[in-house]
Amino acid sequence: MTVDLPPLGLGGAQLGNLYHAVPDEIAAASVRRAWDEGIRYFDTAPHYGLGLSERRLGAALAAYPRAEYVLSTKVGRVLEPRAVAPGERDDQGFDVPGTYRRRWDFSRDGVLRSLESSLDRLGLDRIDLVYVHDPDDHFEEAVSGAFPALLELREQGVVGAIGAGMNQAPMLAEFVRRFDLDHVLMAGRYTLLNQPALDELLPLCVERGVGVVAGGVFNGGILATEQPGTIYDYTAAPADLVEKAQKIAEICARHGVSLPEAALALPRTHPAVVSVVVGAHDAEQVSLNVRRAAANIPAVLWDDLAAAGLLRSAARPVVSGGTQ
């Protein structure tokens, strides 16, 4: 891998007003707090707030030495200006004016246009890591256009590393088989509630030397609080999943571990996972997640969850006893 990732990163979706608006000063304070807490990996995307996340992140990071942090963004959605009615908002979960439309474009030209626009919004002259973003319904175009373009840009030194970021595991595994990727960003597919990445993706990444970045470790919110929330992967959580999360929380509590602490810890037990990326709505949430990530987790917790049928046995770390 040409870019080494720190073990904990700040995700940029909330900087783009995911779910609700965040004032500029609060967003900037979140990035400053992340830096003060030692976070040196920052992930964003044009999709997040129609470019707002990139603009805010670039402005905040301008205060720090460029060589001291790693930044990733994504390609696949090109932003195009559009006329809007007064008060019209984005319709994809971000509380921002709908002044741009997202157009899927995984062609070579689309990749180049997207990166040029991202560099402009970020105020940077290079990006460390670029992911092909959510090509679920655009497999052939991504294979023929986006990935060859990124491979070429990496060879030219224009970008440091390349990969793919998705909310599913099987297609990520196919990209790992087909291309010489550095990293994959796997959202929500290796969590306390959901571990399909164990079937193929994670073993394949170990075999191929591809670093896995775990995102969505709270599965959209259900695992983000000591008592399970009601949102799972951006929609209302089914009752059976809330019940399962509650049972997991109860076993965690017996070991003095909170549900969010366990959610942050599980992905890091797998040798393929090199970093965990977590978003935050404000500076205090950044610090809270840093504390959660530093918690000592008794390895027997994973054994107890597996014994209760709440965690696949393959998800348990190799070590036994003590803490990890």
Side-chain angles (χ1 to χ4, degrees):
M1 293 178 286
T2 55
V3 172
D4 292 326
L5 297 182
L8 185 66
L10 179 69
Q14 283 83 355
L15 298 177
N17 288 358
L18 180 65
Y19 300 138
H20 62 79
V22 175
D24 288 340
E25 60 272 21
I26 299 297
S30 296
V31 179
R32 289 196 300 270
R33 181 66 62 84
W35 189 274
D36 292 342
E37 292 280 11
I39 291 175
R40 295 295 185 269
Y41 173 36
F42 302 88
D43 175 69
T44 184
H47 171 56
Y48 302 157
L50 294 172
L52 178 63
S53 174
E54 289 184 320
R55 291 192 296 272
R56 283 175 163 175
L57 188 58
L61 290 177
Y64 306 108
R66 180 64 184 89
E68 293 186 13
Y69 64 87
V70 176
L71 184 139
S72 60
T73 192
K74 306 178 182 74
V75 296
R77 294 171 174 89
V78 174
L79 303 183
E80 298 177 334
R82 61 185 290 263
V84 296
E88 186 176 347
R89 311 296 285 176
D90 178 52
D91 62 358
Q92 295 194 28
F94 296 90
D95 189 1
V96 295
T99 50
Y100 290 87
R101 67 167 57 86
R102 302 169 179 86
R103 180 172 60 80
W104 292 106
D105 192 341
F106 293 91
S107 69
R108 184 180 188 279
D109 286 347
V111 165
L112 297 177
R113 282 185 58 195
S114 182
L115 283 178
E116 182 178 7
S117 296
S118 288
L119 287 168
D120 183 60
R121 287 188 291 267
L122 289 161
L124 298 175
D125 59 6
R126 64 181 173 88
I127 295 171
D128 302 298
L129 170 57
V130 179
Y131 298 109
V132 177
H133 196 193
D134 294 340
D136 305 67
D137 298 324
H138 307 270
F139 177 82
E140 293 299 336
E141 189 179 21
V143 166
S144 63
F147 286 109
L150 289 182
L151 287 164
E152 179 183 333
L153 292 173
R154 184 182 64 184
E155 184 159 342
Q156 295 171 351
V158 176
V159 300
I162 65 171
M166 303 184 72
N167 294 298
Q168 60 150 296
M171 195 177 290
L172 282 177
E174 182 61 23
F175 294 141
V176 170
R177 275 191 295 268
R178 289 186 180 224
F179 299 103
D180 177 24
L181 303 185
D182 300 293
H183 296 92
V184 294
L185 174 53
M186 167 196 69
R189 305 284 74 89
Y190 187 55
T191 71
L192 287 173
L193 291 174
N194 195 13
Q195 300 113 43
L198 286 170
D199 295 332
E200 184 179 20
L201 177 61
L202 291 176
L204 183 61
C205 286
V206 170
E207 177 187 327
R208 298 289 298 268
V210 176
V212 175
V213 179
V217 297
F218 298 138
N219 275 132
I222 188 171
L223 301 174
T225 49
E226 297 203 13
Q227 292 300 311
T230 59
I231 300 297
Y232 173 78
D233 286 1
Y234 312 111
T235 62
D240 60 329
L241 269 185
V242 176
E243 181 182 359
K244 180 179 180 180
Q246 181 60 48
K247 291 177 180 177
I248 292 172
E250 290 168 1
I251 293 177
C252 287
R254 293 177 207 159
H255 293 280
V257 176
S258 73
L259 187 62
E261 288 171 346
L264 273 166
L266 177 67
R268 293 179 288 132
T269 65
H270 198 283
V273 176
V274 297
S275 186
V276 175
V277 170
V278 189
H281 283 292
D282 56 37
E284 290 308 311
Q285 200 169 68
V286 172
S287 292
L288 176 60
N289 285 331
V290 170
R291 292 195 299 272
R292 287 166 166 174
N296 286 324
I297 310 296
V300 69
L301 169 62
W302 314 122
D303 295 331
D304 287 355
L305 289 173
L310 297 169
L311 185 70
R312 289 173 55 173
S313 59
R316 292 153 58 196
V318 175
V319 296
S320 61
T323 60
Q324 58 87 30

